Amino acid sequence: MRRWFVLLLAGLALACGAAKASPAPSAASDHPTSITRDGVKLTFAQEARAEAIGNKLRCLVCQNETVENSRAGLAKQFRTIIRHRVAAGDSNRQIIAFMVKRYGIYVLLKPPFRPETWLLWLSPGIAALIGLAVLLFARRRRRATPPPLSPEETDRLKELLS
Amino acid sequence: MSLSRRMLFGLPLLVVGVGGAGFYELLRRMQTGSYNPQAFNNPLVGHDVPDFTLPGVDGREGFDKKLLAAQTRPVLVNFFASWCVPCAGEAPYLDRLAKSGVDIWGIAYQDKPEAIGLYLAKYGNPYARLATDPSGRTAINWGVYGVPESFLIAPGGKVVWHVAAPLVPEVIDDQLRPVLRRLA
């Protein structure tokens, strides 16, 4: 029984290896060099760039999805605009600036460090500093030794312990 | 009870109290329509309207940036659509606003002429001028992300106020009217 199982596994492994090794059909039509998405035809490299840009932008309709992932109509329009601009040769920076000009930095999923966002960026550090201050304060108070007992207190202590 | 001990009890109570009051106010404003948690500042406010030329509906004249900027009175530009439910909700208030003497120009966003005609026949037509943006590209240039959105344009073509929500009475009275008074 066990030997059969081992044999079966070995056969499977061999079959998989053979499938991998077998040469893929080499006709040119089976190796597309471009892809059409959201109505724009791009090379793979351009499409990858368009996707990278779309993944940095917020879909303003659903707000927690990227432009690339969202099914909203506006996100689809954004993707088309991004792809047209990629095809036209705009840089990533230019395309993102186009969106920020219209929708503000809210359209960026990763907000830049700016006067209105410094609190957002620095809040973890500020929270850590507050925590550290509380910790130091608590430790300093705990370390303070109590004043020595007065003669009356010493007597009372003795009385209680006896 | 020592001061630090009192603080130990008082601080959480204070946090709960202030936080609760804040949340209450937030929910109240959301209900009245004067606060929209999904809204963000449109960067167009304070700047001239972008270049655009839009056709009208049913062979009538649309409008462009030049015409909008040439007005001597402020114009409320309202992006709407016949398929948009909140637009129908704000329609009676837009009508009232138009009757009170505010110039409202409409831009139908991603809509069809027949549907626009039916919509206006059903909910009233408050628009002094009407244009259509079937592709939605002008809307994107204005930073519109969902209808209804309204922009107040001062004479000369500068955007002085914007709201990405229906123009309910609270928004009109608390936000739009003060800006209109300032411009008058």
Side-chain angles (χ1 to χ4, degrees):
Chain A
M1 180 72 196
R2 198 159 169 190
R3 187 180 292 171
W4 276 111
F5 185 67
V6 170
L7 260 170
L8 188 75
L9 268 182
L12 259 175
L14 218 74
C16 286
K20 244 186 196 164
S22 71
S26 55
S29 62
D30 290 330
H31 286 279
T33 53
S34 66
I35 182 166
T36 302
R37 273 198 60 200
D38 300 297
V40 189
K41 192 173 174 184
L42 295 178
T43 66
F44 285 147
Q46 285 175 325
E47 171 62 22
R49 251 185 71 204
E51 280 174 21
I53 295 167
N55 277 326
K56 284 187 186 151
L57 300 176
R58 183 195 304 276
C59 164
L60 296 159
V61 181
C62 358
Q63 304 208 338
N64 281 325
E65 284 185 315
T66 67
V67 160
E68 214 40 53
N69 290 339
S70 174
R71 292 176 63 186
L74 189 71
K76 188 179 165 62
Q77 274 187 296
F78 278 17
R79 288 197 296 269
T80 306
I81 291 171
I82 291 167
R83 279 164 178 76
H84 274 305
R85 292 187 156 257
V86 165
D90 279 11
S91 70
N92 293 18
R93 192 182 285 250
Q94 281 172 317
I95 296 168
I96 287 169
F98 172 93
M99 291 297 175
V100 170
K101 192 184 170 206
R102 283 152 184 79
Y103 292 95
I105 56 168
Y106 187 71
V107 79
L108 302 173
L109 283 165
K110 184 177 169 184
F113 192 85
R114 295 221 311 220
E116 63 265 42
T117 57
W118 68 266
L119 190 60
L120 179 72
W121 277 104
L122 297 183
S123 56
I126 293 169
L129 280 180
I130 291 173
L132 203 69
V134 168
L135 203 74
L136 285 177
F137 182 69
R139 280 186 60 158
R140 239 176 63 186
R141 276 188 46 158
R142 208 175 299 151
R143 220 182 283 161
T145 45
L149 297 179
S150 64
E152 299 91 71
E153 284 171 329
T154 314
D155 289 345
R156 173 95 177 113
L157 183 66
K158 268 185 192 148
E159 196 185 304
L160 284 168
L161 289 176
S162 60
Chain B
M1 218 162 35
S2 73
L3 181 72
S4 65
R5 195 156 271 239
R6 230 176 295 164
M7 258 176 66
L8 201 67
F9 281 102
L11 260 176
L13 273 177
L14 191 77
V15 168
V16 166
V18 171
F23 271 120
Y24 180 81
E25 180 61 12
L26 206 123
L27 291 174
R28 193 189 64 79
R29 287 199 197 167
M30 269 170 75
Q31 211 160 31
T32 55
S34 64
Y35 171 68
N36 174 8
Q38 298 202 312
F40 50 91
N41 293 333
N42 186 311
L44 196 57
V45 176
H47 296 95
D48 282 351
V49 293
D51 269 325
F52 73 96
T53 305
L54 290 174
V57 185
D58 285 340
R60 267 168 295 175
E61 207 188 334
F63 56 87
D64 58 6
K65 178 189 174 170
K66 232 171 96 187
L67 188 67
L68 188 58
Q71 299 305 302
T72 52
R73 299 200 312 163
V75 176
L76 186 73
V77 174
N78 176 246
F79 283 85
F80 74 102
S82 67
W83 44 262
C84 147
V85 176
C87 297
E90 74 171 359
Y93 307 119
L94 279 183
D95 251 344
R96 216 184 293 164
L97 206 57
K99 289 200 176 90
S100 77
V102 177
D103 292 334
I104 308 176
W105 294 14
I107 298 179
Y109 171 75
Q110 297 197 324
D111 217 335
K112 294 191 177 75
E114 321 83 77
I116 299 167
L118 281 172
Y119 173 86
L120 294 178
K122 186 168 177 189
Y123 296 103
N125 184 354
Y127 304 116
R129 280 177 181 275
L130 183 61
T132 144
D133 180 19
S135 71
R137 278 306 300 268
T138 295
I140 287 179
N141 285 339
W142 285 55
V144 169
Y145 69 98
V147 277
E149 286 198 32
S150 301
F151 298 79
L152 190 67
I153 318 298
K158 197 187 202 182
V159 179
V160 287
W161 177 79
H162 162 255
V163 67
L167 280 167
V168 292
E170 178 124 346
V171 176
I172 292 172
D173 297 339
D174 294 352
Q175 300 180 37
L176 178 60
R177 287 287 183 196
V179 183
L180 281 171
R181 273 198 293 275
R182 221 172 48 224
L183 287 175

